[in-house]
Every structure is written in structure tokens, then in C-alpha cells.
Amino acid sequence: MIIPPFRSEPTLDFADPNSRRDFEGALQRVAARLGRRYPLVIGGELVDTRDEIRSCNPAHPDQVVGRHAVADATHVEQAVAAGWAAFRSWSRTPVAERALLLLRAAQLIRSRRHELGALMVYEVGKPWDEADGEAAEAVDLMEWYARQALELESRDKMVPWPGEATQFRYLPLGVGAVISPWNFPLALTTGMTSAALVSGNCVVLKPAETASTTAAWLMDLLTEVGLPPGVLNLLSGRGEVAGEALVDHPQIRFVAFTGSREVGVRIYERAAVVHRGQRWLKRVQLEMGGKNAVVVDETADLDLAALEITRSAFGFQGQKCSAGSRAVIVSSVYDELLPRVLELTKAIRVGDPVDSQVSLGPVIDGDAEEKILDYIQVGRGEGDLLLGGGRRVGEGHFIEPTVFGGVAAQARIATEEIFGPVLAAIRARDFEDGIRIANSTDYGLTGSYFSRAPERIANAKDQLHVGNLYINRRSTGAMMGVHPFGGFNMSGTDTKAGGPDYLLFFLQGQSVAEKL
Ligand code: NAD
């Protein structure tokens, strides 16, 4: 099969009136579809339950985006069995056929890109450019993993041996769980799921409660392009019930999880237990949180640094694992740079992201709002509140973009993931102190370093211990196939989504030698 080389999907320019008009049209069409009910999908059958989870618009919590069936342990049992039943033929389906299916799905996402973007505006409060960027990322992930699967199959791997016909090949693992978060409900769910599927595995997908509708649309889309029944099973439901039952299940072969550190660590522990009847050690990938630093030294372009600090901290309300929630600034330029950050932050327009002019929407739900406000309270005792600090009066979970100055490197707001629009500015003595501070949390996901001095940049590349390091640019916005993504330390198992090795997690190598 010959397919053209990978090319990143371009994002839309909403300065173009045609793009704006198209997206507005999609927002209206999707609005007419809100509030529908979505069943579980097990072995291709639609299964409804009496209980339901309501996924609501965080800008208007009374607006129901989707009503979802709720899986329990019995559904987990059925879905795992359906997966194994489908595995027999799916694992033997030629890689080229599985890759083609992914490419068809990517094409379908392209053709529904505005609708998918619009759905994420309603379901998780993404501003337009973030929602569109995510749809493009989902396309990239499918396109990338389709090519990677073909490449792995054809790679000439081992040295020939006289008198033997030898082979080294990759086999799928079996049936696995994909447990996804709400903040990239399309891209991350697509990424983990499509990588598992193209490798020949079957999947039971448990999406986040607050983003169940996007996952249901993805399930429909994959069914539409011809994924056989049982290869992908959708269990909307609660993490502590369906998620936990999946992780514990003895017939689950692997768990691919993206989400919080707290839940990730719990999954790691539980998946290590070998249950009665279990014939393998579960393979687990955990991509978790971050407390990412943007370090600026005195040689840096301060206008650029101010812009990128602001974008890193407040893009999608700071609800990105890659968000730059710490600005670590060398003392000699701290007082010059921070006012520029404050100016840019003041200009951020907060509101309902259906409005194209809004760049900061709501946080995901009432629990998140409460947690972020609690951290802001903690921050009042740990630094100087320079901007924001409150919630917007009225409906919706809106929190003002908030900046604390003079924060100590080991303060709670400088070391714990807040996952909201809160930036902690930290003064560093010099560039070495800046790097030391950047490395001083348990996390190690992304980081940025701003400098004009080549030796400082070389030093930062050598010293900053993060999975995704950026020089003179923001800490967010990894592109699949370009910036393989995954963190060190408590940010996760560093499986590097969108990278050259990602599929290996979903495969096991078999060596075959035949005496001639
Ligand atoms: P979360 O951990 O609360 O939930 C993630 C998923 O786990 C959801 O589907 C949830 O239902 C499920 N879950 C909850 N409890 C469970 C349990 N006991 N057993 C099994 N499953 C369970 O995370 P979230 O709030 O959805 O997402 C935000 C977090 O994800 C942040 O910490 C963010 O940094 C992180 N994240 C990391 C990356 C990355 O690539 N490193 C990307 C996106 C988000």
C-alpha cells in the first residue's frame, strides 16, 4: 500500500470570514443535536441503562450536551468478552486493512471537523481555535499511527542466520482498556484508541464523564467507517465503578490511561495485582499531570516571552497538562517582564466560547471551579495576588485569569497542579537557579526556556528534565508526528504519543526461527 508522506493537518484561520461562517453554521447545527441520549456499545449492540450521566455545557450548566448510559461491572464483563470474541479475526486482519480504516476515519473527521469542534465548544468550553486545533490533532494521530503500523510491519529488523529462516514480528496484545480524560476529549481518546486498534488489539473505552458525548461521536464515526462489532466497545460511566472494574479485570491485557496523577497512581497499583485466572502481567501506560515552567533569562526577547508565558498559562483556561503554570524569571528582568505579562492577561476576553472573540472560557465543572478557587485562596497566603482571583458572577464556571507574583519555588501553588487559569511567577537569582527551580517539582512534562544566548540554550537542553522541552516558544501546542508527547517522573510513563515508538506499547515481539 502506498500512501503519501505524513503532513500535519493545517488549522483554520478564523480571521477568514469563510472559516468563521462555516464554524458558526456548525455551532447552530450541533446546538440542535444537544441533549440526545447515548447508549453503551458492547459487541456492536446498543445497551441502555436506567441510570444516566449528563454531560453539561460548563458555560451554561443547565444545558445538557448528552445523556449517557452508565456502565457497571456486568457491562465491563460483557464488553471484555465481546472484545476477545472480536480479537480472533481483528488480530489477523492485515495491517494494511487496519491502517486503511484509520485513514478513512481521519478523512471522515476532516469532513466533520467543524461539527466536532463545535461539539467541544459546548461540551468542554473550548474556544474556537483550541477546538479546531484538537480536531486537526485527531486527524494527525490517525494519519500518523496508520503509517507507523505499516512501517513497523515492513521494518527489516534482524540479522539473517545461515541455515535458518528467521523472522521477528510484532503481534497485538489482546483486549485492553482505554481510559481517557475530558480536556482533550477527541484527540486523546482518538490517539490511544486508534493506536491500540491499528496494532490489532480490541478496546474497551471508558471516556471521562464530563466529555462522554465527544467519545460517543467518535464511536459512531469509527462504526461508520466499518470497524467490526466488538473491536471497540464504549462504556460511558463512572471512573470509580466502570474504570476500576476494567483495570481490575483479569482478562484485560493492557491499560492506556491519560488523566490525573492521583487516578494514574491508583491504576498503576491496582493493575499490578495478578488476579485468579490471569495469565499475564498487565501492561500499563499512564500519562498524567504537569506543573510546567517557562524559564526566562536576562538575555531573552521579553516581548516574546511575555506573549508565550500568557499563552502557555491561559490557553484553554489553563486546563492543559502542558500548561505553563509557573513563570520562572531571572531577577534582573523580573520587574520588567511581569508587567508585560499582566498587560497581556488583562486583555484576555473571558466568556462563553460560542463567541469567536472569547479566548478564555469556563472551567469544566463545579468541582473544578471549587478546587481552583481553593488554590487561589492558598495562593493569597503564598504570594501577591496581582490580577484576577475571583469567579465571574452569574451562571457558568468562569474564573478570572489569575496571576500571583513573588511566589516561592516550593509553595503549593508552585508545585501542585491546579489545572485552571492560575499563573505563579517565581523570581530566580540567575539562569542556573531558574533551571533548578524548574526541575524542583515531582513532575516533568513540558518546559520552555527563553534566551538569546546559545550557551544558555545548550545548558537548558542539557539540564531541564522534561519530556517536551521548548526553546523560545510556549510550553503547549505539541503537534503529533512532530513533537512526540509524554512526560518524565510523576507526569507519566513517557510513552510519547505521536512518536516513532508509541505503537510498541500495544504490541509484543515474536521471534520465529525455522531450520532449513
Ligand atoms: P481524571 O484522572 O479525573 O480522569 C481520567 C479518567 O479516569 C476518566 O475517564 C475518569 O472517569 C477515569 N477514572 C477516574 N477514577 C478512576 C478509577 N478509580 N479507576 C479507573 N478510572 C478512573 O482526569 P481528568 O480530570 O479527566 O483529566 C485531567 C488530568 O489529566 C490532569 O491532571 C491533566 O494534567 C491530565 N492530562 C494529562 C495528559 C498527558 O498527556 N500527560 C493529557 C491530558 C490530560
Side-chain angles (χ1 to χ4, degrees):
M1 188 161 92
I2 298 179
I3 51 173
F6 174 83
R7 228 184 99 246
S8 298
E9 190 66 16
T11 49
L12 294 177
D13 175 8
F14 288 115
D16 173 0
N18 291 329
S19 298
R20 269 210 311 279
R21 193 200 50 226
D22 290 348
F23 203 80
E24 256 151 23
L27 281 165
Q28 280 169 21
R29 287 192 298 282
V30 172
R33 293 167 67 183
L34 299 183
R36 290 188 182 175
R37 193 169 165 92
Y38 298 88
L40 312 176
V41 184
I42 302 176
E45 302 289 326
L46 305 183
V47 178
D48 216 338
T49 62
R50 203 175 300 175
D51 193 7
E52 78 173 16
I53 284 175
R54 290 177 172 214
S55 172
C56 298
N57 180 346
H60 303 283
D62 290 341
Q63 183 178 48
V64 178
V65 173
R67 294 155 49 234
H68 295 268
V70 184
D72 60 22
T74 313
H75 300 116
V76 168
E77 204 59 59
Q78 293 165 354
V80 173
W84 280 108
F87 182 69
R88 272 181 229 114
S89 65
W90 183 246
S91 57
R92 289 174 170 76
T93 301
V95 173
E97 228 173 277
R98 298 196 300 247
L100 205 57
L101 193 132
L102 241 56
L103 296 176
R104 283 207 300 273
Q107 191 50 33
L108 201 53
I109 294 182
R110 269 190 205 99
S111 71
R112 296 194 184 149
R113 168 177 186 157
H114 295 310
E115 281 75 12
L116 286 160
L119 177 63
M120 291 186 279
V121 171
Y122 291 119
E123 188 167 41
V124 296
K126 290 223 162 190
W128 288 25
D129 55 342
E130 299 276 353
D132 177 64
E134 180 163 353
E137 186 176 335
V139 170
D140 284 348
L141 283 160
M142 285 181 161
E143 293 275 348
W144 179 257
Y145 293 144
R147 285 168 178 77
Q148 288 296 306
L150 293 167
E151 200 265 323
L152 269 184
E153 199 197 32
S154 60
R155 198 189 282 174
D156 195 4
K157 301 170 194 93
M158 303 311 300
V159 179
W161 188 249
E164 285 186 4
T166 57
Q167 199 186 2
F168 178 67
R169 59 186 183 168
Y170 290 112
L171 303 178
L173 295 171
V175 177
V178 169
I179 303 179
S180 55
W182 56 264
N183 70 327
F184 282 88
L186 182 65
L188 293 176
T189 312
T190 297
M192 291 186 285
T193 303
S194 61
L197 297 179
V198 79
S199 307
N201 302 287
C202 293
V203 167
V204 182
L205 168 62
K206 211 305 282 169
E209 293 85 323
T210 41
S212 306
T213 311
T214 306
W217 282 33
L218 176 66
M219 177 79 217
D220 285 351
L221 194 139
L222 285 164
T223 306
E224 205 175 319
V225 293
L227 197 67
V231 172
L232 175 62
N233 303 277
L234 174 67
L235 297 186
S236 43
R238 300 192 172 85
E240 58 281 16
V241 181
E244 208 134 288
L246 259 179
V247 170
D248 291 346
H249 199 291
Q251 301 307 320
I252 280 289
R253 181 66 182 81
F254 64 91
V255 180
F257 167 86
T258 308
S260 64
R261 168 178 173 173
E262 186 192 351
V263 174
V265 169
R266 185 176 171 86
I267 289 177
Y268 194 56
E269 289 170 3
R270 293 185 80 100
V273 177
V274 178
H275 296 274
R276 202 183 166 83
Q278 188 176 319
R279 300 176 66 188
W280 46 66
L281 302 174
K282 286 173 192 164
R283 202 178 274 189
V284 182
Q285 69 163 250
L286 306 159
E287 297 308 321
M288 310 190 287
K291 189 71 194 178
N292 311 298
V294 179
V295 183
V296 185
D297 77 17
E298 72 280 13
T299 71
D301 174 339
L302 297 187
D303 284 329
L304 175 68
L307 183 69
E308 296 295 71
I309 286 174
T310 314
R311 291 173 78 189
S312 303
F314 300 116
F316 187 33
Q317 296 84 265
Q319 301 173 118
K320 297 183 187 180
C321 52
S322 55
S325 51
R326 293 182 292 158
V328 180
I329 307 168
V330 164
S331 189
S332 57
V333 288
Y334 181 95
D335 295 319
E336 195 181 340
L337 175 55
L338 202 52
R340 299 190 203 181
V341 172
L342 294 175
E343 273 318 299
L344 291 169
T345 308
K346 275 184 206 150
I348 292 175
R349 181 137 165 223
V350 182
D352 184 345
V354 292
D355 178 347
S356 65
Q357 300 307 306
V358 159
S359 50
L360 197 130
V363 299
I364 188 67
D365 60 14
D367 289 347
E369 182 184 321
E370 215 172 290
K371 177 182 158 195
I372 297 162
L373 290 173
D374 283 350
Y375 269 113
I376 290 175
Q377 202 48 37
V378 170
R380 287 174 198 271
E382 290 185 330
D384 308 320
L385 178 62
L386 302 177
L387 199 69
R391 69 177 301 281
R392 204 183 71 167
V393 185
E395 67 162 347
H397 307 293
F398 293 95
I399 294 185
E400 296 166 334
T402 297
V403 181
F404 285 101
V407 179
Q410 288 309 306
R412 282 186 62 200
I413 62 162
T415 53
E416 297 175 17
E417 187 184 49
I418 299 174
F419 221 55
V422 181
L423 173 67
I426 303 166
R427 192 188 281 271
R429 276 193 312 278
D430 52 25
F431 76 95
E432 282 167 330
D433 192 39
I435 287 179
R436 186 192 59 75
I437 293 168
N439 284 337
S440 69
T441 75
D442 295 346
Y443 295 104
L445 188 46
T446 72
S448 297
Y449 191 83
F450 282 79
S451 178
R452 284 197 183 101
E455 68 284 2
R456 297 277 183 83
I457 291 172
N459 181 66
K461 286 181 183 167
D462 192 42
Q463 300 291 325
L464 275 171
H465 193 63
V466 293
N468 285 70
L469 175 60
Y470 300 106
I471 306 296
N472 290 324
R473 54 151 287 185
R474 68 192 193 277
S475 67
T476 56
M479 285 167 64
M480 298 300 106
V482 180
H483 314 114
F485 192 80
F488 296 166
N489 294 351
M490 277 302 179
S491 290
T493 45
D494 191 42
T495 25
K496 286 292 187 282
D501 310 321
Y502 186 69
L503 293 189
L504 293 180
F505 171 85
F506 300 96
L507 292 161
Q508 50 198 340
Q510 185 184 44
S511 171
V512 182
E514 182 182 350
K515 195 83 186 153
L516 294 173

